[in-house]
Structures are given as C-alpha cells and as structure tokens.
Amino acid sequence: MTYKLLALNIDETVLKSNARISKQTKDAIEYVKEKGVYVTLATSRPFPATKKIAKALKVDGFLISSDGAFIATDADEPIFVRRLKEEKALQIVDILERYDCHIRVLHESFSIGNKVRQRNHLIAKMTIGIGDPLFYPISFVDSVCERLMEEPIAPPKIQVQFFDSQEQKKAVKQLEEMVVGITMFESAPGRLELVSTGVSKARGLQTLGQYLGIASDEMVAIGAQDSDVEMINQVGLGVAMGNATESVKNVAGWLTRSNEQNGVSYMIREVFRKQLRVQL
C-alpha cells in the first residue's frame, strides 16, 4: 500500500512532555513531505494553537483542530466548521458556572475563561491549554455566562477543568439531562471537552480525505489519547505511540516508541522508508 496522507495528534505525540518538538520529529516530517505525502495535524487544540505547532513543523496544509470541529489552513476560510450554537453555548456555560471548575470557551480566533479565585487553582487556569496564553488571545472574566449574554458566541468547542471528581459527576449528569446535541468526553483527569454531536477527529479526517481525494486506506494516523481511537481504527495504518492509552494500543496496527523516545520519527522512517514518491 502507498500511503498518501499522514495525520498526527499533537499532545503526547508530536510534543514531548516538556511541550517541545524534537529535531528528529521535524526532520522526519520533512522527510515524509519530500516523498509527496500530505501531512496534517488532528488535535483537540483550537485552531490558533494548532497553527502555531504546524508552523514549527513546516506543515502548511489543512489542519483538523478542536477535535474535528474546525478544519482550515486559515481561520477566516475553513473548509469545514461545526459550531455549538450561541444559545447552546450559553446553556452549557450557565450550567457549568454552578460548579467548581475552570471554563474555556474556545473560538477559532480567541477564547474566554472564568477567573479562578482560589490560590491552589491558579495553575489550572494557566495550564488548561498549555502554551495557548503566549499566542492565543484569552480574556478572563468574572462570569463567562454574563459575557455570552452580552456578546453571543458560537464556538467550535468548550473545554472545562474540574477540581473535584464529585463536582464533575454532578455537572456531567446535569449536562446530559438538560443539553441535547452535544458530545462530551474526558481528555485528561478532570478535563472535559464539549463539541457538537457528530464531531470527532475521525470525522474530520474523513472530511479532509474527501476534500483531497484521498481514501481512508491511503492514510496513516498516529496518536496517544482516547479521542484518537476512532481515527486510528479507520485508516489504512493506525499507529499508537508507546505512551498511548491501552484503548489506542488495542486498535492500532503498529506500535511505535514513546513521545520521549521520538516515536513519530521512528515510525515515519520505518513505515515510509521503502515508499516511492507519491504523485497526488
């Protein structure tokens, strides 16, 4: 099989635990691009954060961001976007503000978060989207709900960090009972991602493949998180990082090294070494 597209998750895959990208990873991505393979990122991060990583990797094609809710090369011209409607975003935030949590409404150009007053919660405010404050406009407000009432927003995604598991359970139960048309999943301990129903990295990759004329069995996807499972399961070659969750490893057809051991670079060299240049 000749593979024409390579999809990479960012967190725990391209990035090492110190949030850096190794030279080996950059060189390997350049190597596979020279073979004519289309390289994209498929991530839970919002578009500006995804674009920043793509620039560092010299990946200039379409990017699958916000767990598949926003696909674009430029924020102003997405080829696909599925938003949480204004009234639904307001309803979600209104519920969440009754609980002890940090809320982040993630638009493709900016985000709004609630201020976390407790000293021991300050770090959660700063790291819920690691690196984002450096290049992604973020407004911290006393009440996100009040801001959305004044200035309605239809974001691709809402992210929330809980500080107590019981609070999280109660909030999730209330959201499930009161809000329809959304998908919720936990991306890290206490961290909940909320998108419109039908949104996923897998659907995003299908959409991009159709746009580019590349079939799923002509794709390689690599990831480490539970949100990567469906994507890895649907492509021609699904690759799990050595540090991936068991769910990812169980569906992957190939297991590479961890992100600390340059697993992306190792996989690319091994899988694409004998492949001739692709003619797209």
Side-chain angles (χ1 to χ4, degrees), residues 128-140:
I128 190 167
I130 188 165
D132 290 0
L134 299 177
F135 51 83
Y136 185 46
I138 297 173
S139 300
F140 290 109

Side-chain angles (χ1 to χ4, degrees), residues 162 164-173 186 190 192:
F162 290 92
D164 179 86
S165 60
Q166 292 304 312
E167 286 278 289
Q168 181 178 349
K169 286 178 184 177
K170 287 189 284 186
V172 167
K173 185 173 185 291
E186 192 175 46
L192 204 63

Side-chain angles (χ1 to χ4, degrees), residues 76 98 100 220 260:
D76 296 326
R98 303 171 195 179
D100 183 19
V220 177
E260 296 301 311

Side-chain angles (χ1 to χ4, degrees), residues 130-154:
I130 188 165
D132 290 0
L134 299 177
F135 51 83
Y136 185 46
I138 297 173
S139 300
F140 290 109
V141 297
D142 290 320
S143 171
V144 179
C145 189
E146 287 181 12
R147 172 63 69 88
L148 294 187
M149 285 191 285
E150 294 167 3
E151 301 174 27
I153 296 169

